[in-house]
C-alpha cells in the first residue's frame, strides 16, 4: 500500500509484517469455512450452495493478498499446497 506523506511530498510503502499478513488471510479463510459449515448445518443448504460459498469466498483471497502486499512466493506455495491436498 502506498501512502503520500504531505509534509515531505514523499511516497512511502506501508507493508504489514509477514505474520500479520498470515493472520489476516488465515482468519478470513476460517471465516469463509465457518460460514459454509453453518449454512450447511443450520440452514440446510445443499452441497452446491456450500460449494459456491467456499469458491466465491476464497476467490477474494487474491484481492486481500494484493492489498496486504503478500509476497508472491507465499501465494504460490499456498496454491501448490492446497492443490496437492485437494
Amino acid at each position: 500500500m502506498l501512502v503520500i506523506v504531505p509534509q515531505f511530498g514523499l511516497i512511502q510503502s506501508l507493508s504489514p509484517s509477514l505474520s500479520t499478513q498470515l493472520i489476516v488471510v488465515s482468519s478470513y479463510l476460517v471465516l469463509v469455512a465457518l460460514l459454509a459449515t453453518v449454512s450447511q448445518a443450520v440452514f440446510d443448504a445443499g452441497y452446491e450452495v456450500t460449494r459456491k460459498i467456499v469458491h466465491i469466498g476464497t476467490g477474494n483471497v487474491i484481492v486481500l493478498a494484493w492489498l496486504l502486499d503478500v509476497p508472491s512466493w507465499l501465494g504460490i506455495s499456498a496454491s501448490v499446497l492446497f492443490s496437492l491436498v485437494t
Side-chain angles (χ1 to χ4, degrees):
M1 179 182 305
L2 295 176
V3 176
I4 298 175
V5 181
Q7 298 96 337
F8 306 109
L10 301 174
I11 296 178
Q12 295 180 342
S13 178
L14 296 178
S15 182
S17 68
L18 186 60
S19 60
T20 304
Q21 294 167 344
L22 287 173
I23 289 170
V24 170
V25 172
S26 299
S27 299
Y28 176 75
L29 289 175
V30 167
L31 181 67
V32 170
L34 284 174
L35 180 64
T37 304
V38 167
S39 69
Q40 188 175 22
V42 175
F43 301 115
D44 198 28
Y47 172 75
E48 284 296 316
V49 174
T50 304
R51 189 178 69 83
K52 287 182 188 245
I53 290 171
V54 171
H55 283 190
I56 292 170
T58 56
N60 296 328
V61 168
I62 295 171
V63 176
L64 188 60
W66 175 69
L67 289 172
L68 292 173
D69 291 330
V70 174
S72 59
W73 65 265
L74 184 61
I76 293 169
S77 300
S79 175
V80 169
L81 177 69
F82 285 113
S83 295
L84 291 174
V85 170
T86 59

